[in-house]
Amino acid sequence: MEKGKYLALVGGGALLGSVSTFFLLRLLQSQKRGVSQCSKNVAADLNGVEGCTIGEKKNDRVVNEDLLKDEIVSEQLTRNIQFFGFESQQKVTASYVVVIGLGGVGSHAASMLLRSGIGKLLLVDFDQVSLSSLNRHAVATRADVGISKTQCLKEHFLSIFPECQIDAKVLLYDSSTEEEILSGHPDFVLDCIDNIDTKVALLAACVRRGLKVLSATGAGARADPTRIRIADLRESTNDPLSRAVRHRLRKDYGIEGGIPVVFSLEKPKAKLLPFKGPSGEEENPSDYQIVPGFRVRIIPVLGTIPAIFGQFMASYVVTELAGVHVQTEPVVNFDMDHYYTLHQRLIEHEESLYGTSMEVQVDVEEVMYIVKELWHGRSAREQLVEDVGRGMWRSVNELMLVRWDRTKPSSISNLILLKFKEVDEHESRTLDDIKENEPEFYSRVTAVLKRVELDFGL
């Protein structure tokens, strides 16, 4: 009798477990069908049907500002907390970032933003994972081929930092999706798009909305990671994409600059490959476009470079959100001969003005630091944002180093870079006069020179 009761109990439990498993599998299958359907309908979405939102979440800004109170989260981010400090890391964790374009650049940027503890991410892309994208994608595997890039990232991300609120939208950015993508007051927008029309429209919308945006230019056909920089759009060179974007922003929207970009000083080492159709013959690429205006021809890509672009972007955004100012490598086209010239010019000027060069307390290496790191190859009077641009490559023949305070020696913390025509006026004035009549200029220069004291422990 007891044995019969036991068997009945076991049988009932097994039946209950089977029923639960059945319904759980049905639920998972329905979710997968929803994701699969979302991926399959991408082409249809782009031809007029609404895009897909994975997760069914509204784009309202709701970030859990107490995430760091969770012991697991705090331990996972302990190295960041040690680097930034608790309060600064809390700013990062309370932030909302939008990443648009999830290929080689965007996937790596989004991945490191997640690992850095960003509290809310919106991932946007209209495309699917392909086999050929596995050489540069941050997380995609062969099992992900054919699904949307947004879903691919979201699934991987939830296994890394499940506390992050991750929204994923299979959408193409344009005027009709602007509100859906850019609403919710994001703290930063990352533009990782490689199409000119879409990139220009996005950057213009961010400027109009007053949103902070960081843009990636061309990472394809390049191989030298040491030449990657972050600077104003007007300073980017050797990049056809940024050149076209600059032109369109100025022409169509009157935007001259003020947008930080990641770019490479390296000239592209390869060009677009010819497009070949199914027959193997060269054909018109536009005949195969799913979306008008989007590139079909292939740019050769060394996967490491877009990955580094993405890492650059994530590092820039995270430090900005944490309130930690990082002095980026300036874009200055001087070689060592230029620095030797400026050093010699300083010595000759000191001898002419003071009768001796004994108070020149800098060598050529320190001149390079002053010119490149402090004054970015420009006159100290051209440091305002609106003055950034082609003036950066002004000939060295127009520049020289002079003392900021004439009563002190020509030391590393007392030299500024000026144009020849500015030198006489500067040296005819006292610092008190400059402070009284040009307080902004005075404060800016003294702040730069104060940095020297911190850098060198003076």
Side-chain angles (χ1 to χ4, degrees):
M1 190 69 177
E2 290 296 325
K3 186 177 180 180
K5 289 182 179 180
Y6 175 75
L7 290 173
L9 183 63
V10 171
L15 179 62
L16 180 61
S18 298
V19 171
S20 300
T21 302
F22 173 76
F23 281 109
L24 179 60
L25 287 173
R26 287 291 299 272
L27 177 62
L28 290 174
Q29 287 171 353
S30 68
Q31 289 179 340
K32 287 188 74 175
R33 281 198 299 271
V35 171
S36 177
Q37 188 68 31
C38 179
S39 296
K40 289 177 181 177
N41 285 342
V42 170
D45 292 342
L46 298 174
N47 287 314
V49 183
E50 285 189 9
C52 174
T53 299
I54 301 167
E56 300 297 326
K57 291 183 180 179
K58 292 184 179 180
N59 203 28
D60 299 327
R61 182 192 175 111
V62 180
V63 184
N64 183 0
E65 298 185 1
D66 295 326
L67 274 180
L68 292 185
K69 293 181 180 179
D70 183 293
E71 290 185 6
I72 294 178
V73 172
S74 181
E75 177 62 24
Q76 182 171 337
L77 298 174
T78 185
R79 295 297 184 268
N80 286 58
I81 294 171
Q82 291 167 350
F83 185 86
F84 288 130
F86 185 85
E87 290 185 2
S88 292
Q89 179 60 39
Q90 204 164 31
K91 294 177 183 177
V92 174
T93 308
S95 296
Y96 168 37
V97 178
V98 177
V99 184
I100 306 174
L102 303 174
V105 176
S107 65
H108 281 274
S111 180
M112 283 312 303
L113 288 172
L114 176 89
R115 291 182 182 275
S116 298
I118 295 294
K120 180 178 178 180
L121 281 171
L122 171 59
L123 309 174
V124 181
D125 200 307
F126 70 90
D127 205 359
Q128 299 174 348
V129 176
S130 65
L131 267 174
S132 64
S133 66
L134 298 187
N135 83 316
R136 57 195 181 278
H137 200 275
V139 300
T141 67
R142 287 188 180 182
D144 297 313
V145 172
I147 72 170
S148 66
K149 291 179 179 178
T150 53
Q151 178 64 17
C152 169
L153 282 178
K154 182 171 183 177
E155 287 182 349
H156 284 278
F157 283 6
L158 287 175
S159 67
I160 298 169
F161 185 32
E163 291 79 8
C164 179
Q165 181 183 331
I166 304 171
D167 294 342
K169 294 181 183 292
V170 184
L171 286 175
L172 171 67
Y173 178 86
D174 59 23
S175 58
S176 67
T177 59
E178 175 188 326
E179 179 63 22
E180 182 175 356
I181 293 172
L182 297 182
S183 62
H185 308 290
D187 296 290
F188 242 106
V189 176
L190 271 65
D191 158 37
C192 305
I193 303 168
D194 61 3
N195 173 263
I196 294 174
D197 293 340
T198 310
K199 181 178 286 285
V200 169
L202 171 62
L203 295 176
C206 288
V207 171
R208 186 179 70 251
R209 287 171 171 261
L211 299 176
K212 290 184 177 180
V213 61
L214 175 62
S215 178
T217 63
R222 292 170 172 84
D224 185 356
T226 68
R227 306 196 72 188
I228 299 172
R229 301 286 187 274
I230 294 181
D232 190 276
L233 176 63
R234 287 170 293 186
E235 299 176 36
S236 57
T237 58
N238 296 336
D239 179 60
L241 179 58
S242 61
R243 183 165 54 246
V245 170
R246 276 198 307 270
H247 174 75
R248 289 280 302 279
L249 283 173
R250 183 173 59 251
K251 178 183 176 184
D252 298 344
Y253 299 96
I255 298 172
E256 295 287 341
I259 299 171
V261 298
V262 179
F263 68 101
S264 174
L265 294 168
E266 181 184 10
K267 291 184 178 179
K269 295 189 180 301
K271 297 180 180 179
L272 279 169
L273 299 180
F275 180 80
K276 294 183 179 181
S279 65
E281 300 294 325
E282 289 192 24
E283 298 187 28
N284 184 359
S286 61
D287 293 340
Y288 291 84
Q289 288 175 330
I290 296 176
V291 182
F294 270 75
R295 174 171 50 81
V296 175
R297 293 168 66 194
I298 299 168
I299 295 178
V301 180
L302 181 63
T304 55
I305 300 303
I308 296 170
F309 265 58
Q311 302 287 341
F312 262 61
M313 297 182 83
S315 184
Y316 179 91
V317 169
V318 169
T319 52
E320 285 287 309
L321 293 173
V324 175
H325 178 67
V326 176
Q327 184 70 38
T328 56
E329 176 74 10
V331 183
V332 181
N333 285 359
F334 288 169
D335 57 29
M336 286 307 298
D337 287 342
H338 289 130
Y339 298 117
Y340 279 111
T341 298
L342 288 167
H343 185 247
Q344 185 60 35
R345 193 171 289 161
L346 171 63
I347 291 174
E348 292 173 358
H349 182 69
E350 289 276 317
E351 290 175 344
S352 172
L353 192 63
Y354 302 105
T356 178
S357 61
M358 294 295 292
E359 290 196 317
V360 174
Q361 300 178 358
V362 293
D363 57 22
V364 174
E365 185 176 338
E366 289 167 330
V367 165
M368 182 168 64
Y369 166 82
I370 295 168
V371 173
K372 189 176 182 180
E373 300 287 339
L374 299 184
W375 304 113
H376 297 189
R378 297 187 296 266
S379 164
R381 289 192 169 276
E382 291 187 335
Q383 298 299 306
L384 296 177
V385 173
E386 58 264 29
D387 292 323
V388 175
R390 295 306 168 191
M392 173 158 268
W393 292 278
R394 194 179 302 282
S395 170
V396 69
N397 292 327
E398 297 184 14
L399 299 168
M400 66 182 294
L401 290 165
V402 297
R403 300 184 191 186
W404 170 243
D405 185 345
R406 292 188 61 186
T407 66
K408 297 179 180 179
S410 295
S411 65
I412 196 169
S413 61
N414 190 42
L415 286 171
I416 63 173
L417 197 61
L418 292 176
K419 299 177 195 174
F420 284 163
K421 61 184 180 182
E422 297 167 339
V423 171
D424 288 342
E425 180 186 358
H426 173 74
E427 292 184 332
S428 67
R429 302 173 65 185
T430 65
L431 289 187
D432 288 339
D433 177 39
I434 296 174
K435 184 176 182 179
E436 181 180 349
N437 293 288
E438 297 182 272
E440 290 185 9
F441 173 61
Y442 178 87
S443 297
R444 181 158 46 82
V445 172
T446 53
V448 170
L449 297 179
K450 185 68 176 177
R451 179 191 155 199
V452 182
E453 297 177 7
L454 296 174
D455 285 353
F456 287 84
L458 302 177

